[in-house]
Amino acid sequence: MPGIGPKSAERLTFHLLRSSKANPDALGKALLELKSGLKYCTHCQMVATDDLCAICTDTSRDRSSVLVVESPLEVIAFEKTSYKGMYHVLHGVLSPLDGMGPEQLKLKELIDRAALEKIDEVIIATNPDTEGEATAIYIRQQLDKKVGRVSRLAHGLPMGADIEFADQVTLREAIAGRRSL
Amino acid sequence: MPGIGPKSAERLTFHLLRSSKANPDALGKALLELKSGLKYCTHCQMVATDDLCAICTDTSRDRSSVLVVESPLEVIAFEKTSYKGMYHVLHGVLSPLDGMGPEQLKLKELIDRAALEKIDEVIIATNPDTEGEATAIYIRQQLDKKVGRVSRLAHGLPMGADIEFADQVTLREAIAGRRSL
């Protein structure tokens, strides 16, 4: 497993052996259920233990806004911010060389949601790289006239950055996306 | 000097000794002129060898836009992008604890420029940290009604970033500053 060599494995094993019996049993049980118990939420495609994930069943959230991300890990990242809308997980980005076309992504599910639900805004939050940009543009075309607004996360300088060491593309995007003060 | 220890100094000295006579002489002359020959451009406060820097004397540049930066190094960073307007170097940011008040910055010179020149837009490009933000807000107040528009560089995800590892403040700014696709 990544980051665990023979020495670490030995130390972990002896820790489990020496500790009270509950520990390895609970871990073993959880590991047995890891693959069988885990499904994708039928609504947003996030990992879930039931048909719907905890976010989709939460009635206090704003259902008019959907943030589209590449993977479940990004949902966890956005959940640490004050964002209180819904999500849609694509499980990948368009990348023809890696055999990732529109059919390999959970894109049909997003278009279905746009047709069935009252979505005011879809915020595309794919990574700011070549594949992420291409995917964002493709999704916008597919959602054309199906939702109120399709937007993209802002590109620019991250907080705490040093302009002196910023790359040219980021500086260009930061100038292009400047906002009135 | 930073990054040059006794070993490096020895190697550099012997390189100068062994090479043709022109090298150490030219370097010595340049070093003698480093402090005496260098001034600040009277217009934009960038380092210059004459009263005006190469950017301020370039008639092909767009004089209606002024990018306000903290230090000359940032001018060099922006010169690598396609920005073709003018600059103003503050030589610092507001930082009361370090004794940096508005009088310690080249701020009066900027306000004078705003009064004398026809400036359509001032883009404040101080670093995206606490001092940089405070300085940006202070400058906007000082320039109120003196220029057409005061703007700030976009905050958000830098190009090539991974959303999974982005900090919460950057993600929040990226959502807040989202743009229609």
Side-chain angles (χ1 to χ4, degrees):
Chain A
M1 280 189 276
I4 300 180
K7 283 250 179 191
S8 297
E10 200 177 274
R11 204 172 58 232
L12 290 169
T13 312
F14 276 92
H15 170 79
L16 287 174
L17 272 174
R18 279 195 218 105
S19 67
S20 64
K21 200 177 173 295
N23 269 340
D25 279 8
L27 183 61
K29 220 175 138 213
L31 283 170
L32 284 173
E33 284 166 6
L34 181 64
K35 287 247 169 164
S36 61
L38 199 79
K39 324 179 220 185
Y40 292 133
C41 169
T42 52
H43 187 237
C44 75
Q45 314 299 325
M46 176 64 181
V47 287
T49 44
D50 273 311
D51 280 352
L52 288 173
C53 71
I55 295 167
C56 286
T57 48
D58 184 349
T59 50
S60 71
R61 298 186 75 107
D62 174 13
R63 286 176 185 263
S64 66
S65 159
V66 176
L67 195 81
V68 179
V69 296
E70 294 180 19
S71 77
L73 282 168
E74 276 132 37
V75 173
I76 296 165
F78 281 109
E79 278 298 283
K80 290 179 190 150
T81 70
S82 54
Y83 178 75
K84 284 287 161 259
M86 310 300 284
Y87 295 94
H88 190 87
V89 184
L90 293 174
H91 291 281
V93 274
L94 293 181
S95 176
L97 287 176
D98 303 324
M100 292 295 282
E103 311 78 41
Q104 277 72 45
L105 306 183
K106 302 282 186 189
L107 196 55
K108 200 188 153 291
E109 288 82 351
L110 177 66
I111 295 164
D112 288 349
R113 281 178 73 177
L116 289 168
E117 300 168 34
K118 218 188 107 46
I119 299 173
D120 290 338
E121 183 171 1
V122 169
I123 308 167
I124 305 176
T126 48
N127 278 325
D129 49 28
T130 324
E131 286 92 0
E133 291 299 314
T135 309
I137 292 164
Y138 183 81
I139 296 174
R140 190 195 51 72
Q141 288 165 348
Q142 296 295 309
L143 290 178
D144 203 25
K145 286 169 194 147
K146 289 194 183 75
V147 289
R149 183 192 177 198
V150 180
S151 60
R152 180 93 177 94
L153 285 192
H155 292 168
L157 295 161
M159 291 312 286
D162 209 326
I163 290 175
E164 193 186 323
F165 303 116
D167 63 290
Q168 297 164 36
V169 189
T170 298
L171 285 182
R172 200 182 60 204
E173 294 273 342
I175 297 179
R178 66 187 182 273
R179 286 193 285 169
S180 286
L181 258 187
Chain B
M1 281 190 274
I4 300 180
K7 283 250 177 190
S8 298
E10 198 177 276
R11 202 172 60 233
L12 290 169
T13 312
F14 276 92
H15 171 79
L16 286 174
L17 271 174
R18 279 194 218 105
S19 67
S20 64
K21 200 175 173 296
N23 269 341
D25 280 8
L27 182 61
K29 221 173 136 212
L31 283 170
L32 284 172
E33 284 166 6
L34 181 65
K35 287 246 169 163
S36 60
L38 199 79
K39 324 179 220 185
Y40 291 133
C41 170
T42 52
H43 187 237
C44 75
Q45 314 300 326
M46 176 65 182
V47 287
T49 44
D50 271 311
D51 280 352
L52 288 174
C53 70
I55 295 167
C56 286
T57 48
D58 184 349
T59 51
S60 71
R61 298 186 75 107
D62 173 13
R63 287 175 185 264
S64 66
S65 159
V66 175
L67 195 81
V68 179
V69 295
E70 293 181 18
S71 77
L73 281 168
E74 276 131 37
V75 173
I76 296 166
F78 280 109
E79 278 300 283
K80 288 176 191 150
T81 71
S82 53
Y83 178 75
K84 284 287 163 259
M86 311 299 286
Y87 294 96
H88 190 87
V89 184
L90 293 173
H91 291 281
V93 273
L94 294 180
S95 178
L97 287 176
D98 302 323
M100 292 294 284
E103 311 77 41
Q104 276 73 46
L105 306 182
K106 302 284 186 187
L107 196 56
K108 200 189 155 291
E109 288 81 352
L110 177 64
I111 296 165
D112 288 349
R113 281 178 73 177
L116 289 168
E117 300 167 34
K118 219 188 107 44
I119 299 172
D120 290 337
E121 182 170 1
V122 169
I123 308 166
I124 305 177
T126 48
N127 278 326
D129 50 27
T130 324
E131 286 93 357
E133 291 298 314
T135 309
I137 291 164
Y138 183 82
I139 296 174
R140 190 195 50 72
Q141 288 165 345
Q142 296 293 310
L143 290 179
D144 203 25
K145 285 167 195 150
K146 290 193 182 77
V147 289
R149 184 191 177 198
V150 180
S151 60
R152 180 94 177 95
L153 286 191
H155 292 168
L157 295 161
M159 291 311 286
D162 210 326
I163 291 174
E164 192 187 321
F165 303 116
D167 62 290
Q168 296 164 37
V169 189
T170 298
L171 285 182
R172 201 182 58 203
E173 294 273 341
I175 296 179
R178 65 187 183 272
R179 285 193 284 169
S180 286
L181 258 186

Short mmCIF file of all heavy atoms in Angstrom, two decimals, chain B residues 105-150:
data_model
loop_
_atom_site.label_atom_id
_atom_site.label_comp_id
_atom_site.label_asym_id
_atom_site.label_seq_id
_atom_site.Cartn_x
_atom_site.Cartn_y
_atom_site.Cartn_z
N LEU B 105 5.30 54.69 1.40
CA LEU B 105 5.09 54.15 0.05
C LEU B 105 5.15 55.27 -0.98
O LEU B 105 4.96 56.43 -0.64
CB LEU B 105 3.71 53.46 -0.04
CG LEU B 105 3.39 52.38 0.98
CD1 LEU B 105 2.02 51.81 0.69
CD2 LEU B 105 4.44 51.30 0.96
N LYS B 106 5.35 54.89 -2.23
CA LYS B 106 5.32 55.88 -3.32
C LYS B 106 3.87 56.08 -3.75
O LYS B 106 3.51 55.86 -4.91
CB LYS B 106 6.18 55.38 -4.50
CG LYS B 106 7.63 55.11 -4.14
CD LYS B 106 8.42 56.39 -4.00
CE LYS B 106 9.90 56.08 -3.78
NZ LYS B 106 10.66 57.30 -3.47
N LEU B 107 3.05 56.48 -2.79
CA LEU B 107 1.62 56.58 -3.02
C LEU B 107 1.23 57.98 -3.49
O LEU B 107 0.37 58.14 -4.36
CB LEU B 107 0.89 56.23 -1.72
CG LEU B 107 -0.59 55.91 -1.83
CD1 LEU B 107 -0.81 54.78 -2.82
CD2 LEU B 107 -1.13 55.51 -0.47
N LYS B 108 1.91 59.00 -2.91
CA LYS B 108 1.64 60.38 -3.31
C LYS B 108 1.90 60.53 -4.82
O LYS B 108 1.13 61.18 -5.54
CB LYS B 108 2.54 61.33 -2.52
CG LYS B 108 2.04 62.77 -2.49
CD LYS B 108 3.08 63.70 -1.89
CE LYS B 108 2.87 65.13 -2.42
NZ LYS B 108 3.21 65.25 -3.84
N GLU B 109 2.98 59.87 -5.28
CA GLU B 109 3.34 59.94 -6.70
C GLU B 109 2.24 59.35 -7.58
O GLU B 109 1.98 59.85 -8.68
CB GLU B 109 4.66 59.19 -6.96
CG GLU B 109 5.90 59.87 -6.42
CD GLU B 109 6.15 59.65 -4.92
OE1 GLU B 109 5.27 59.07 -4.24
OE2 GLU B 109 7.22 60.05 -4.44
N LEU B 110 1.57 58.28 -7.07
CA LEU B 110 0.48 57.66 -7.84
C LEU B 110 -0.73 58.59 -7.89
O LEU B 110 -1.36 58.76 -8.94
CB LEU B 110 0.10 56.32 -7.20
CG LEU B 110 -1.09 55.58 -7.84
CD1 LEU B 110 -0.77 55.17 -9.28
CD2 LEU B 110 -1.49 54.35 -7.03
N ILE B 111 -1.05 59.22 -6.76
CA ILE B 111 -2.20 60.13 -6.70
C ILE B 111 -1.95 61.34 -7.60
O ILE B 111 -2.86 61.81 -8.30
CB ILE B 111 -2.49 60.52 -5.23
CG1 ILE B 111 -2.89 59.27 -4.44
CG2 ILE B 111 -3.59 61.58 -5.14
CD1 ILE B 111 -2.87 59.42 -2.94
N ASP B 112 -0.69 61.81 -7.62
CA ASP B 112 -0.33 62.92 -8.53
C ASP B 112 -0.53 62.50 -9.98
O ASP B 112 -1.05 63.28 -10.79
CB ASP B 112 1.13 63.32 -8.31
CG ASP B 112 1.32 64.05 -6.98
OD1 ASP B 112 0.29 64.41 -6.36
OD2 ASP B 112 2.47 64.24 -6.57
N ARG B 113 -0.10 61.28 -10.31
CA ARG B 113 -0.28 60.79 -11.68
C ARG B 113 -1.76 60.73 -12.05
O ARG B 113 -2.15 61.10 -13.16
CB ARG B 113 0.31 59.37 -11.84
CG ARG B 113 1.82 59.36 -12.00
CD ARG B 113 2.34 57.94 -12.10
NE ARG B 113 2.03 57.31 -13.39
CZ ARG B 113 2.44 56.09 -13.73
NH1 ARG B 113 3.14 55.37 -12.88
NH2 ARG B 113 2.14 55.60 -14.91
N ALA B 114 -2.60 60.25 -11.10
CA ALA B 114 -4.04 60.14 -11.36
C ALA B 114 -4.64 61.51 -11.63
O ALA B 114 -5.56 61.65 -12.44
CB ALA B 114 -4.73 59.48 -10.18
N ALA B 115 -4.10 62.56 -10.96
CA ALA B 115 -4.63 63.91 -11.14
C ALA B 115 -4.17 64.52 -12.46
O ALA B 115 -4.92 65.23 -13.13
CB ALA B 115 -4.19 64.78 -9.96
N LEU B 116 -2.92 64.23 -12.85
CA LEU B 116 -2.33 64.89 -14.02
C LEU B 116 -2.60 64.16 -15.34
O LEU B 116 -2.78 64.81 -16.37
CB LEU B 116 -0.81 65.01 -13.84
CG LEU B 116 -0.33 66.01 -12.79
CD1 LEU B 116 1.15 65.81 -12.51
CD2 LEU B 116 -0.60 67.44 -13.25
N GLU B 117 -2.61 62.81 -15.30
CA GLU B 117 -2.71 62.04 -16.55
C GLU B 117 -4.14 61.56 -16.78
O GLU B 117 -4.94 61.52 -15.86
CB GLU B 117 -1.78 60.82 -16.50
CG GLU B 117 -0.32 61.19 -16.30
CD GLU B 117 0.53 59.97 -15.93
OE1 GLU B 117 0.22 58.87 -16.42
OE2 GLU B 117 1.49 60.14 -15.17
N LYS B 118 -4.42 61.20 -18.02
CA LYS B 118 -5.74 60.64 -18.33
C LYS B 118 -5.68 59.12 -18.15
O LYS B 118 -5.36 58.39 -19.08
CB LYS B 118 -6.09 60.99 -19.79
CG LYS B 118 -7.57 61.37 -19.97
CD LYS B 118 -7.94 61.53 -21.43
CE LYS B 118 -8.78 60.41 -21.98
NZ LYS B 118 -9.89 59.94 -21.14
N ILE B 119 -5.93 58.65 -16.93
CA ILE B 119 -5.88 57.22 -16.64
C ILE B 119 -7.29 56.66 -16.58
O ILE B 119 -8.12 57.12 -15.80
CB ILE B 119 -5.14 56.95 -15.30
CG1 ILE B 119 -3.70 57.47 -15.38
CG2 ILE B 119 -5.15 55.46 -14.97
CD1 ILE B 119 -2.96 57.43 -14.06
N ASP B 120 -7.57 55.66 -17.43
CA ASP B 120 -8.90 55.04 -17.43
C ASP B 120 -9.04 54.02 -16.31
O ASP B 120 -10.09 53.88 -15.71
CB ASP B 120 -9.15 54.34 -18.78
CG ASP B 120 -9.33 55.34 -19.90
OD1 ASP B 120 -9.68 56.50 -19.59
OD2 ASP B 120 -9.10 54.98 -21.07
N GLU B 121 -7.96 53.25 -16.09
CA GLU B 121 -8.07 52.17 -15.12
C GLU B 121 -6.77 51.99 -14.35
O GLU B 121 -5.69 51.96 -14.93
CB GLU B 121 -8.41 50.85 -15.85
CG GLU B 121 -8.58 49.70 -14.88
CD GLU B 121 -9.15 48.44 -15.52
OE1 GLU B 121 -9.40 48.45 -16.75
OE2 GLU B 121 -9.33 47.45 -14.80
N VAL B 122 -6.91 51.86 -13.02
CA VAL B 122 -5.78 51.50 -12.16
C VAL B 122 -6.03 50.08 -11.68
O VAL B 122 -7.06 49.80 -11.07
CB VAL B 122 -5.65 52.47 -10.96
CG1 VAL B 122 -4.66 51.93 -9.94
CG2 VAL B 122 -5.21 53.85 -11.44
N ILE B 123 -5.12 49.14 -12.03
CA ILE B 123 -5.25 47.74 -11.61
C ILE B 123 -4.32 47.52 -10.43
O ILE B 123 -3.10 47.64 -10.59
CB ILE B 123 -4.89 46.78 -12.76
CG1 ILE B 123 -5.67 47.12 -14.04
CG2 ILE B 123 -5.12 45.33 -12.35
CD1 ILE B 123 -5.13 46.43 -15.28
N ILE B 124 -4.86 47.23 -9.27
CA ILE B 124 -4.01 47.06 -8.10
C ILE B 124 -3.54 45.61 -8.02
O ILE B 124 -4.35 44.69 -7.91
CB ILE B 124 -4.73 47.49 -6.81
CG1 ILE B 124 -5.21 48.94 -6.99
CG2 ILE B 124 -3.79 47.38 -5.61
CD1 ILE B 124 -6.00 49.48 -5.83
N ALA B 125 -2.22 45.43 -8.11
CA ALA B 125 -1.64 44.08 -8.18
C ALA B 125 -0.72 43.84 -6.99
O ALA B 125 0.36 43.30 -7.14
CB ALA B 125 -0.91 43.88 -9.50
N THR B 126 -1.18 44.25 -5.79
CA THR B 126 -0.41 43.89 -4.59
C THR B 126 -0.66 42.41 -4.33
O THR B 126 -1.63 41.84 -4.81
CB THR B 126 -0.88 44.73 -3.39
OG1 THR B 126 -2.31 44.69 -3.32
CG2 THR B 126 -0.44 46.18 -3.52
N ASN B 127 0.23 41.78 -3.55
CA ASN B 127 0.11 40.33 -3.31
C ASN B 127 -1.19 39.97 -2.61
O ASN B 127 -1.72 40.77 -1.83
CB ASN B 127 1.30 39.85 -2.47
CG ASN B 127 2.53 39.60 -3.31
OD1 ASN B 127 2.43 39.18 -4.46
ND2 ASN B 127 3.70 39.89 -2.76
N PRO B 128 -1.73 38.76 -2.87
CA PRO B 128 -2.99 38.34 -2.23
C PRO B 128 -2.78 37.88 -0.79
O PRO B 128 -3.07 36.74 -0.45
CB PRO B 128 -3.48 37.21 -3.14
CG PRO B 128 -2.25 36.67 -3.78
CD PRO B 128 -1.26 37.79 -3.86
N ASP B 129 -2.25 38.78 0.07
CA ASP B 129 -2.14 38.47 1.50
C ASP B 129 -2.73 39.63 2.30
O ASP B 129 -3.24 40.59 1.71
CB ASP B 129 -0.68 38.20 1.89
CG ASP B 129 0.26 39.30 1.39
OD1 ASP B 129 -0.21 40.45 1.23
OD2 ASP B 129 1.43 39.02 1.16
N THR B 130 -2.68 39.56 3.62
CA THR B 130 -3.36 40.56 4.46
C THR B 130 -2.89 41.99 4.15
O THR B 130 -3.71 42.88 3.92
CB THR B 130 -3.12 40.25 5.96
OG1 THR B 130 -3.08 38.85 6.12
CG2 THR B 130 -4.19 40.86 6.81
N GLU B 131 -1.56 42.20 4.13
CA GLU B 131 -1.04 43.55 3.88
C GLU B 131 -1.41 44.01 2.47
O GLU B 131 -1.79 45.17 2.28
CB GLU B 131 0.50 43.58 4.03
CG GLU B 131 0.99 43.52 5.46
CD GLU B 131 1.28 42.10 5.90
OE1 GLU B 131 1.03 41.16 5.08
OE2 GLU B 131 1.72 41.90 7.05
N GLY B 132 -1.30 43.11 1.50
CA GLY B 132 -1.61 43.46 0.11
C GLY B 132 -3.07 43.86 -0.06
O GLY B 132 -3.39 44.82 -0.76
N GLU B 133 -3.98 43.13 0.62
CA GLU B 133 -5.41 43.43 0.53
C GLU B 133 -5.71 44.79 1.18
O GLU B 133 -6.45 45.60 0.62
CB GLU B 133 -6.23 42.35 1.24
CG GLU B 133 -6.22 40.99 0.56
CD GLU B 133 -6.82 41.02 -0.84
OE1 GLU B 133 -7.88 41.61 -1.02
OE2 GLU B 133 -6.19 40.47 -1.76
N ALA B 134 -5.11 45.01 2.36
CA ALA B 134 -5.34 46.28 3.07
C ALA B 134 -4.83 47.44 2.22
O ALA B 134 -5.49 48.48 2.11
CB ALA B 134 -4.65 46.24 4.43
N THR B 135 -3.67 47.26 1.61
CA THR B 135 -3.09 48.31 0.77
C THR B 135 -4.00 48.59 -0.43
O THR B 135 -4.22 49.74 -0.79
CB THR B 135 -1.68 47.90 0.29
OG1 THR B 135 -0.92 47.49 1.43
CG2 THR B 135 -0.96 49.04 -0.41
N ALA B 136 -4.54 47.52 -1.03
CA ALA B 136 -5.43 47.68 -2.19
C ALA B 136 -6.65 48.51 -1.81
O ALA B 136 -7.04 49.43 -2.55
CB ALA B 136 -5.85 46.30 -2.71
N ILE B 137 -7.24 48.21 -0.66
CA ILE B 137 -8.45 48.93 -0.24
C ILE B 137 -8.11 50.40 0.05
O ILE B 137 -8.84 51.32 -0.33
CB ILE B 137 -9.09 48.23 0.98
CG1 ILE B 137 -9.66 46.87 0.53
CG2 ILE B 137 -10.19 49.08 1.60
CD1 ILE B 137 -9.96 45.92 1.66
N TYR B 138 -6.95 50.63 0.70
CA TYR B 138 -6.53 52.01 1.00
C TYR B 138 -6.32 52.80 -0.29
O TYR B 138 -6.77 53.94 -0.40
CB TYR B 138 -5.25 51.98 1.84
CG TYR B 138 -4.80 53.36 2.27
CD1 TYR B 138 -5.37 53.99 3.37
CD2 TYR B 138 -3.82 54.05 1.56
CE1 TYR B 138 -4.98 55.26 3.75
CE2 TYR B 138 -3.43 55.33 1.92
CZ TYR B 138 -4.01 55.92 3.03
OH TYR B 138 -3.62 57.19 3.39
N ILE B 139 -5.66 52.19 -1.27
CA ILE B 139 -5.41 52.90 -2.53
C ILE B 139 -6.72 53.22 -3.24
O ILE B 139 -6.89 54.31 -3.78
CB ILE B 139 -4.48 52.07 -3.45
CG1 ILE B 139 -3.10 51.90 -2.81
CG2 ILE B 139 -4.33 52.73 -4.83
CD1 ILE B 139 -2.17 50.98 -3.56
N ARG B 140 -7.67 52.27 -3.20
CA ARG B 140 -8.95 52.54 -3.85
C ARG B 140 -9.62 53.77 -3.24
O ARG B 140 -10.15 54.62 -3.95
CB ARG B 140 -9.90 51.34 -3.74
CG ARG B 140 -11.12 51.55 -4.64
CD ARG B 140 -12.29 50.65 -4.38
NE ARG B 140 -12.74 50.52 -3.03
CZ ARG B 140 -13.39 51.46 -2.32
NH1 ARG B 140 -13.65 52.62 -2.85
NH2 ARG B 140 -13.75 51.22 -1.08
N GLN B 141 -9.57 53.86 -1.90
CA GLN B 141 -10.17 55.03 -1.23
C GLN B 141 -9.49 56.32 -1.66
O GLN B 141 -10.14 57.33 -1.92
CB GLN B 141 -10.06 54.87 0.29
CG GLN B 141 -11.01 53.80 0.84
CD GLN B 141 -10.66 53.39 2.27
OE1 GLN B 141 -9.57 53.68 2.74
NE2 GLN B 141 -11.57 52.68 2.91
N GLN B 142 -8.15 56.28 -1.77
CA GLN B 142 -7.39 57.47 -2.12
C GLN B 142 -7.65 57.90 -3.56
O GLN B 142 -7.57 59.08 -3.88
CB GLN B 142 -5.89 57.22 -1.93
CG GLN B 142 -5.49 56.94 -0.49
CD GLN B 142 -5.69 58.15 0.41
OE1 GLN B 142 -5.24 59.25 0.08
NE2 GLN B 142 -6.40 57.98 1.51
N LEU B 143 -7.93 56.91 -4.44
CA LEU B 143 -8.11 57.23 -5.86
C LEU B 143 -9.57 57.49 -6.23
O LEU B 143 -9.87 57.75 -7.39
CB LEU B 143 -7.58 56.08 -6.73
CG LEU B 143 -6.07 55.86 -6.75
CD1 LEU B 143 -5.75 54.67 -7.63
CD2 LEU B 143 -5.34 57.09 -7.25
N ASP B 144 -10.45 57.41 -5.23
CA ASP B 144 -11.89 57.54 -5.48
C ASP B 144 -12.20 58.77 -6.32
O ASP B 144 -11.82 59.88 -5.99
CB ASP B 144 -12.61 57.60 -4.14
CG ASP B 144 -14.06 57.16 -4.28
OD1 ASP B 144 -14.35 56.40 -5.21
OD2 ASP B 144 -14.89 57.60 -3.46
N LYS B 145 -12.90 58.55 -7.41
CA LYS B 145 -13.34 59.60 -8.33
C LYS B 145 -12.20 60.27 -9.08
O LYS B 145 -12.41 61.22 -9.83
CB LYS B 145 -14.19 60.66 -7.61
CG LYS B 145 -15.60 60.13 -7.32
CD LYS B 145 -16.33 61.03 -6.33
CE LYS B 145 -17.54 60.31 -5.78
NZ LYS B 145 -17.88 60.72 -4.42
N LYS B 146 -10.95 59.82 -8.89
CA LYS B 146 -9.82 60.43 -9.61
C LYS B 146 -9.49 59.67 -10.89
O LYS B 146 -8.87 60.23 -11.79
CB LYS B 146 -8.58 60.48 -8.70
CG LYS B 146 -8.71 61.49 -7.56
CD LYS B 146 -7.35 61.73 -6.90
CE LYS B 146 -7.44 62.69 -5.73
NZ LYS B 146 -8.00 62.06 -4.51
N VAL B 147 -9.87 58.38 -10.96
CA VAL B 147 -9.66 57.60 -12.18
C VAL B 147 -10.97 56.91 -12.57
O VAL B 147 -11.87 56.77 -11.74
CB VAL B 147 -8.55 56.52 -12.01
CG1 VAL B 147 -7.19 57.15 -11.93
CG2 VAL B 147 -8.83 55.65 -10.80
N GLY B 148 -11.05 56.48 -13.83
CA GLY B 148 -12.29 55.87 -14.33
C GLY B 148 -12.68 54.65 -13.54
O GLY B 148 -13.83 54.48 -13.12
N ARG B 149 -11.72 53.76 -13.30
CA ARG B 149 -12.04 52.49 -12.66
C ARG B 149 -10.84 52.02 -11.85
O ARG B 149 -9.70 52.17 -12.30
CB ARG B 149 -12.38 51.46 -13.75
CG ARG B 149 -12.81 50.11 -13.24
CD ARG B 149 -12.85 49.07 -14.37
NE ARG B 149 -13.19 47.76 -13.84
CZ ARG B 149 -12.97 46.61 -14.47
NH1 ARG B 149 -12.43 46.61 -15.67
NH2 ARG B 149 -13.30 45.46 -13.93
N VAL B 150 -11.09 51.49 -10.67
CA VAL B 150 -10.03 50.87 -9.88
C VAL B 150 -10.37 49.39 -9.78
O VAL B 150 -11.46 49.03 -9.36
CB VAL B 150 -9.90 51.48 -8.46
CG1 VAL B 150 -8.79 50.79 -7.68
CG2 VAL B 150 -9.63 52.97 -8.54
#
